Amino acid sequence: TRADVGLSEGEADFVPRPEYEWVPPLSANPLSYFAIPDDGRGIGDDGLETLAEYELRYDRTIRLLDKRLGRMLQELGKEGRLEGTTICIVGSFGVGFGESGLILDTGTLSDVDMHVPWILRPAAGTNVERGVVSDNLASLLDVAPTLLELSDIDVPPGMHGRSHVGTLRGDDAPVRDRAYARGGLQQGFAVRDERYSVEHTVPGARGPSYLRLSYDGYVDRRPPGFSVFVRDREVSTDPGNLGPSAESSERVQLLLADARQWYQWIAQAAEVVHETPWAREPVSAEVLTELVENGVIAPRD
């Protein structure tokens, strides 16, 4: 943010990255690719700061958040509630510094937005070892069932997401083999497994016309074309999607097919949950069985 976080202690720890020592352009629009958007928060109002200086602001704000979380934990300790409290901290999305076209903004389906931390300190008595670090694939959908199992509460049938309590108790077997995402400023979807991040999207297609224009420069109203970007995380360290795409292997094609199937199920589940018989035919018994068997909806009476 633009706010002065007022940090002096430890500021020497934050060193500007040389590759970010350039001044990004400013946009007159509240949403924009390849420029800092004019979102009304005062970001980039002078247009003279380098991207490295903006990153320093971000880092210092994270340190301020860390201090405030520390004070919260101290207060819980003073009240004698810290050991009996499960602490769950999870990032909902990342902030781009141009890796996928957005600068100081969020809304892509690339790893720069999707790869966020999940820190979980279980309460005492949950039979969970603390200090476990896992690189297993996880989804934000998994937070709720994990917390429910830690609290000895049954996970309701039909709740999407999978508990990671087994991982916390020493079972290193992956809880899920893929995770899906859609939304933000992109039409389409993304799917991930333990190695690949695959995007099937049209950048800016879910925003105003000037946002799409800022990405590809098209001034006519041609229908947007979907493109596939593949990141092989075993090879690439860049979390964005502006570099060369990895090869579309057979595994990538299977991931894309699985993601299409998943979102077809989600659309069918919406027809079941939000019944409008006056607008369409009821979902067939075969489709209902398929949705239940794949955990998309709970069994129906």
Side-chain angles (χ1 to χ4, degrees):
T1 65
R2 177 69 182 179
D4 180 11
V5 298
L7 293 174
S8 56
E9 179 185 350
E11 282 195 355
D13 296 340
F14 301 107
V15 179
R17 288 199 279 172
E19 63 268 31
Y20 277 7
E21 284 294 339
W22 55 277
V23 178
L26 305 181
S27 172
N29 295 316
L31 293 171
S32 179
Y33 286 96
F34 308 111
I36 297 177
D38 180 10
D39 61 359
R41 293 181 295 168
I43 294 178
D45 52 0
D46 53 19
L48 299 177
E49 291 184 83
T50 65
L51 193 60
E53 290 172 318
Y54 285 118
E55 187 181 46
L56 290 185
R57 288 192 192 181
Y58 179 86
D59 292 341
R60 291 165 182 165
T61 303
I62 294 296
R63 169 162 294 185
L64 178 63
L65 173 63
D66 185 62
K67 286 187 174 184
R68 289 175 175 172
L69 288 172
R71 287 200 296 268
M72 180 191 74
L73 298 179
Q74 287 178 349
E75 291 300 318
L76 285 172
K78 290 177 182 177
E79 297 173 5
R81 300 166 54 195
L82 180 58
E83 286 302 307
T85 301
T86 292
I87 308 297
C88 179
I89 303 170
V90 60
S92 54
F93 50 80
V95 175
F97 283 81
E99 300 92 341
S100 293
L102 295 179
I103 303 177
L104 309 186
D105 207 350
T106 186
T108 76
L109 296 179
S110 67
D111 285 343
V112 71
D113 269 315
M114 298 289 104
H115 190 185
V116 296
W118 183 8
I119 304 170
L120 187 61
R121 201 298 303 261
T126 54
N127 191 29
V128 171
E129 181 181 355
R130 295 178 181 174
V132 174
V133 179
S134 175
D135 291 327
N136 287 348
L137 189 67
S139 167
L140 289 179
L141 294 174
D142 301 336
V143 174
T146 301
L147 294 178
L148 287 173
E149 184 176 349
L150 279 175
S151 303
D152 292 324
I153 299 174
D154 292 336
V155 178
M159 171 179 275
H160 298 166
R162 302 175 185 179
S163 171
H164 288 255
V165 170
T167 301
L168 299 174
R169 290 179 176 157
D171 183 2
D172 198 42
V175 172
R176 58 166 63 244
D177 59 2
R178 67 206 66 187
Y180 311 103
R182 67 178 177 182
L185 303 177
Q186 298 176 251
Q187 186 176 347
F189 59 80
V191 56
R192 290 163 172 79
D193 66 2
E194 71 284 352
R195 177 172 178 175
Y196 295 105
S197 296
V198 186
E199 300 174 62
H200 178 267
T201 61
V202 184
R206 299 184 72 241
S209 58
Y210 60 75
L211 178 65
R212 174 78 175 145
L213 176 65
S214 73
Y215 191 87
D216 57 22
Y218 288 152
V219 296
D220 57 15
R221 296 186 177 275
R222 72 181 70 181
F226 283 86
S227 61
V228 175
F229 179 86
V230 182
R231 180 187 172 213
D232 183 345
R233 293 193 299 277
E234 291 186 1
V235 177
S236 173
T237 59
D238 185 349
N241 60 12
L242 299 183
S245 175
E247 292 186 6
S248 185
S249 64
E250 181 180 354
R251 175 62 180 172
V252 169
Q253 295 305 314
L254 288 174
L255 288 172
L256 287 170
D258 288 343
R260 291 188 182 98
Q261 178 65 78
W262 174 254
Y263 283 115
Q264 179 181 336
W265 284 337
I266 293 298
Q268 291 168 334
E271 295 181 11
V272 175
V273 175
H274 306 289
E275 293 184 82
T276 53
W278 50 267
R280 53 179 172 256
E281 293 294 324
V283 173
S284 68
E286 291 79 9
V287 171
L288 281 174
T289 300
E290 184 179 14
L291 295 176
V292 171
E293 289 178 348
N294 287 280
V296 185
I297 62 173
R300 298 176 69 82
D301 297 332

